[in-house]
Amino acid sequence: MKLRKITAATAAVLALGLAATACGSSDDDSDSGSSASSGGGGKIKVGIKYDQPGIGLKEPDGSFSGFDVDVATYVAKQLGYEPNQIEWVETKSADRETAISRGDVKFIAASYSINDERKQKVDFAGPYLLAHQDLLVKKDSDIAKGTDLNGKKLCSVTGSTSAQNVQETIAPKAQLKELAGYSECIAALQNGAVDAVTTDDSILAGFAAQDKYKGQFKLAGLKLSNENYGIGLKKGDSATLGKINDALTKMVSDGSWDKAVKANFGPAGYKNDPAPKIGDIVK
């Protein structure tokens, strides 16, 4: 009798332990940036910018807005996640490859230009937007072309392709100042610390359209480069890559892409290129 009581108690403890272990393991998916592979009550971590009006912006009330946010929300929905299951993660330009390789996020939609160097480190879905490098200057500036930057103070963001492009091909004698974010560059332009800010025209248009900057700046209207925005994800994750490309294709075909472009860029008068062919240039 005594042996039976001990055995029963031991079995009960073992059963409870197994149940607790099972519950704990279901929440762990650190390699994928999501706690479930296709929604079902889980969360998905998505990298975006927090400081780019019209692209990716954290609003004062804690909500998020911008074209990249709309694209990422649409894609996450096609992967099985509702908006309230998305955990937005700030990913600055210099941190994007690291965030993907560490598994901090499932994917990144953060004005992420596709280039050969980055393709060695991450995979890209898309492209989903064709932007062009441009200059933002003060309304009365005489800077009208790229070479006018020689001898001028130019601001861009650490890790961006724009800064690299200016140094190598456009204005090697420009005095380049690299800061952590575009909002810092815009502030430097406003107070006269720099003469111009360079990045993609879509990003610059978003800043120029903000109420606090209206009437102060202008876009130079230069197409200094082609910047194809892609969604970055872990290298070798072909299954997710295919699903994201399918989601982007659907977004274009059902009109949601055009709607997002108008909502985010229309107020600034930004003239966008047509939607790129999904899957082109990323192989």
Side-chain angles (χ1 to χ4, degrees), residues 83-271:
N84 62 3
Q85 292 177 279
I86 301 172
E87 182 178 335
W88 301 110
V89 178
E90 183 178 20
T91 49
K92 295 184 177 181
S93 295
D95 301 330
R96 289 176 295 204
E97 286 84 26
T98 301
I100 291 172
S101 64
R102 280 197 313 230
D104 295 345
V105 295
K106 185 67 174 178
F107 65 83
I108 289 178
S111 54
Y112 204 177
S113 299
I114 301 167
N115 63 34
D116 289 338
E117 181 181 352
R118 290 170 177 168
K119 283 160 62 176
Q120 299 302 312
K121 301 174 184 177
V122 302
D123 281 342
F124 283 101
Y128 62 90
L129 182 72
L130 174 59
H132 304 281
Q133 184 179 350
D134 202 354
L135 304 175
L136 189 68
V137 296
K138 285 192 172 181
K139 201 75 172 179
D140 59 354
S141 174
D142 59 358
I143 296 175
K145 55 185 183 296
T147 53
D148 290 341
L149 293 171
N150 283 310
K152 301 288 189 179
K153 295 176 182 177
L154 174 69
C155 191
S156 193
V157 169
T158 303
S160 72
T161 55
S162 299
Q164 189 176 15
N165 190 33
V166 168
Q167 285 182 312
E168 293 178 355
T169 64
I170 298 171
K173 294 182 181 180
Q175 300 172 37
L176 184 62
K177 186 178 184 67
E178 293 183 281
L179 297 177
Y182 292 108
S183 55
E184 290 92 332
C185 279
I186 301 299
L189 178 62
Q190 186 180 37
N191 64 33
V194 298
D195 300 299
V197 178
T198 187
T199 185
D200 305 342
D201 51 8
S202 55
I203 297 171
L204 296 173
F207 278 106
Q210 283 191 299
D211 288 338
K212 60 182 177 180
Y213 295 132
K214 277 184 179 177
Q216 297 184 43
F217 307 134
K218 64 181 180 181
L219 285 165
L222 310 179
K223 292 187 176 182
L224 302 176
S225 70
N226 292 332
E227 304 295 337
N228 285 280
Y229 288 0
I231 291 181
L233 66 158
K234 198 165 189 177
K235 197 154 188 67
D237 189 357
S238 56
T240 304
L241 176 64
K243 291 176 182 178
I244 293 178
N245 274 335
D246 288 344
L248 293 173
T249 300
K250 183 177 179 181
M251 186 177 187
V252 172
S253 65
D254 70 12
S256 298
W257 187 89
D258 282 320
K259 184 178 179 180
V261 167
K262 291 176 183 176
N264 292 290
F265 301 135
Y270 172 71
K271 299 185 183 301

Side-chain angles (χ1 to χ4, degrees), residues 37-51:
S37 60
S38 58
K43 295 280 188 178
I44 185 169
K45 294 181 179 180
V46 179
I48 57 170
K49 293 291 182 65
Y50 276 22
D51 65 344

Side-chain angles (χ1 to χ4, degrees), residues 42-46 64 69-70 72-78 80-88:
K43 295 280 188 178
I44 185 169
K45 294 181 179 180
V46 179
F64 297 90
V69 175
D70 290 345
T73 301
Y74 188 99
V75 168
K77 174 74 171 178
Q78 299 304 307
Y81 297 90
E82 297 298 327
N84 62 3
Q85 292 177 279
I86 301 172
E87 182 178 335
W88 301 110

